[in-house]
Amino acid sequence: MKYHNLGHSNLEISVIGLGCMGMSEFYVSSQVAESIATLHRAIELGVNFFDTADMYGPWTNEMLVCKAIADRRDKVVLATKFGVVRNEKCEFLGINCQPDYVRSACDASLKRLGVDTIDLYYQHRVDTNVPIEETVGAMANLVEAGKIRYIGLSEAEPDVIRRAHAVHPISALQTEYSLWSREPEQEILTTTRELGISFVSYSPLGRGFLTGQIKQFEDLAEDDWRRTNPRFQGENFAKNLVLVERITEIAQDKNVTPAQLALAWVLAQGEDIVTIPGTKRRTYLEQNLGALDVTLTDEDLARINDAFPMDAAVGKRY
């Protein structure tokens, strides 16, 4: 395993972490036993950066992570998020980043996770009704109270990042980044690098599309959230599949899987980048970590860029 110093902190995090969202919902039905086994196997293999959120489940994903790490807390850098509000029926009720809500959400996450301190606490989405200064101010108070150690943002634009960082050092920005979502290259990465903020790439495998395992829409289970995603619809699906076929060909030439190639590409974009591919199966976890052994030459990177240039993916991200 390779490690990266989380921006403005003394934490060393694995450059490939583990996104835990899919262990509870959105893709297919949850498999608790295998998910916990996957979390344990990740720790054995040197993965120490686990990512969850209160809205995953909702709430149940944090409790699942709690079960997995209860007797090995010292081996994990734990990240969770607040701000996306859902109810017991799993309905989305909006974004709430009011200071009072920040405090209550943190207390609830601490209880579900069974920990005294959250290592990295993210604002999950920007609340356009609340100045970022107020939200980060409330998060800074949580740092002072010892409830969280470091502050992160998710899917924030450069201006918001700068304003937030002026209130309290931001340690990480989490944003979707992969071969088929390269928008951060335009301004986001420049901003985070200027401010010394680590960049955390989520969905580095394009919600599974870049693995090459999804050949047709019908491959998605009936309860799979991706059935509603624009990039998996009709003509968009067909056009995006052509892009994946190009990547698959390059991967075959290098004797690696398409997923390993896609992850290696993300990591090759900068030493300040870490990524959190999600899986609930040990097999895929181990395959993903094989990306650490993939070396991409300048020629490889040029070929990948030609095959999958900026804005090549068809359809909106959401």
Side-chain angles (χ1 to χ4, degrees):
M1 180 54 67
K2 300 175 183 177
Y3 297 89
H4 164 82
N5 183 258
L6 180 69
H8 306 288
S9 84
N10 59 0
L11 295 178
E12 290 289 321
I13 57 175
S14 51
V15 296
I16 296 182
L18 181 57
C20 301
M21 179 188 77
M23 294 178 177
S24 296
E25 67 168 340
F26 292 113
Y27 295 130
V28 291
S29 302
S30 112
Q31 300 171 11
V32 174
E34 178 61 18
S35 294
I36 290 177
T38 299
L39 287 159
H40 289 171
R41 182 61 176 151
I43 293 172
E44 290 174 1
L45 295 172
V47 177
N48 73 346
F49 188 39
F50 290 176
D51 181 273
T52 181
D54 58 2
M55 64 84 72
Y56 299 158
W59 314 307
T60 55
N61 196 244
E62 288 183 327
M63 292 186 281
L64 172 67
V65 172
C66 173
K67 290 180 182 179
I69 70 169
D71 61 348
R72 54 204 85 191
R73 174 69 178 97
D74 61 331
K75 299 181 183 298
V76 173
V77 175
L78 187 59
T80 192
K81 315 177 195 72
F82 72 91
V84 179
V85 185
R86 300 175 73 191
N87 62 17
E88 293 82 356
K89 297 179 181 179
C90 299
E91 297 168 328
F92 290 88
L93 303 182
I95 307 298
N96 187 346
C97 295
Q98 294 282 355
D100 287 346
Y101 183 81
V102 176
R103 290 187 285 271
S104 63
C106 180
D107 287 341
S109 285
L110 286 167
K111 184 176 181 180
R112 285 189 293 265
L113 290 165
V115 299
D116 296 322
T117 305
I118 295 165
D119 297 313
L120 177 61
Y121 200 41
Y122 288 104
Q123 178 194 42
H124 205 160
R125 290 292 186 272
V126 174
D127 187 341
T128 56
N129 296 315
V130 181
I132 191 64
E133 291 82 0
E134 293 183 15
T135 300
V136 174
M139 296 172 79
N141 290 337
L142 294 175
V143 174
E144 293 173 5
K147 294 184 177 183
I148 68 175
R149 297 180 69 185
Y150 300 103
I151 294 176
L153 303 177
S154 180
E155 293 283 356
E157 294 299 319
D159 176 62
V160 172
I161 298 169
R162 292 180 187 281
R163 288 166 52 200
H165 193 70
V167 175
H168 187 281
I170 302 300
S171 292
L173 174 77
Q174 181 179 135
T175 292
E176 183 173 355
Y177 184 46
S178 69
L179 277 168
W180 82 341
S181 294
R182 297 178 60 177
E183 295 85 355
E185 295 175 14
Q186 296 170 344
E187 291 184 78
I188 298 291
L189 281 168
T190 299
T191 302
T192 56
R193 284 168 177 162
E194 176 188 333
L195 300 176
I197 299 171
S198 293
F199 184 92
V200 180
S201 152
Y202 78 81
S203 291
L205 299 177
R207 310 189 190 284
F209 211 122
L210 297 176
T211 66
Q213 299 299 309
I214 303 171
K215 304 293 186 182
Q216 55 186 355
F217 183 79
E218 291 70 24
D219 289 339
L220 303 174
E222 291 293 335
D223 59 348
D224 194 312
W225 167 81
R226 290 171 292 187
R227 280 179 170 258
T228 66
N229 186 280
R231 292 187 177 179
F232 288 81
Q233 306 298 313
E235 188 174 322
N236 291 353
F237 186 104
K239 291 181 178 179
N240 289 328
L241 189 60
V242 172
L243 297 171
V244 174
E245 289 169 351
R246 296 176 188 170
I247 294 300
T248 299
E249 181 179 342
I250 298 172
Q252 290 172 342
D253 289 346
K254 292 189 67 67
N255 197 31
V256 301
T257 69
Q260 289 168 342
L261 186 78
L263 290 171
W265 179 87
V266 170
L267 294 177
Q269 304 312 302
E271 294 184 357
D272 56 330
I273 296 175
V274 301
T275 188
I276 50 170
T279 183
K280 60 176 170 233
R281 296 183 177 89
R282 286 167 286 180
T283 299
Y284 293 143
L285 167 74
E286 292 169 0
Q287 289 178 5
N288 288 343
L289 294 181
L292 295 169
D293 298 321
V294 179
T295 299
L296 297 179
T297 65
D298 290 342
E299 182 180 351
D300 291 330
L301 292 169
R303 185 180 176 194
I304 292 169
N305 191 63
D306 288 342
F308 215 132
M310 174 86 75
D311 298 328
V314 181
K316 294 181 179 180
R317 289 198 293 135
Y318 289 97

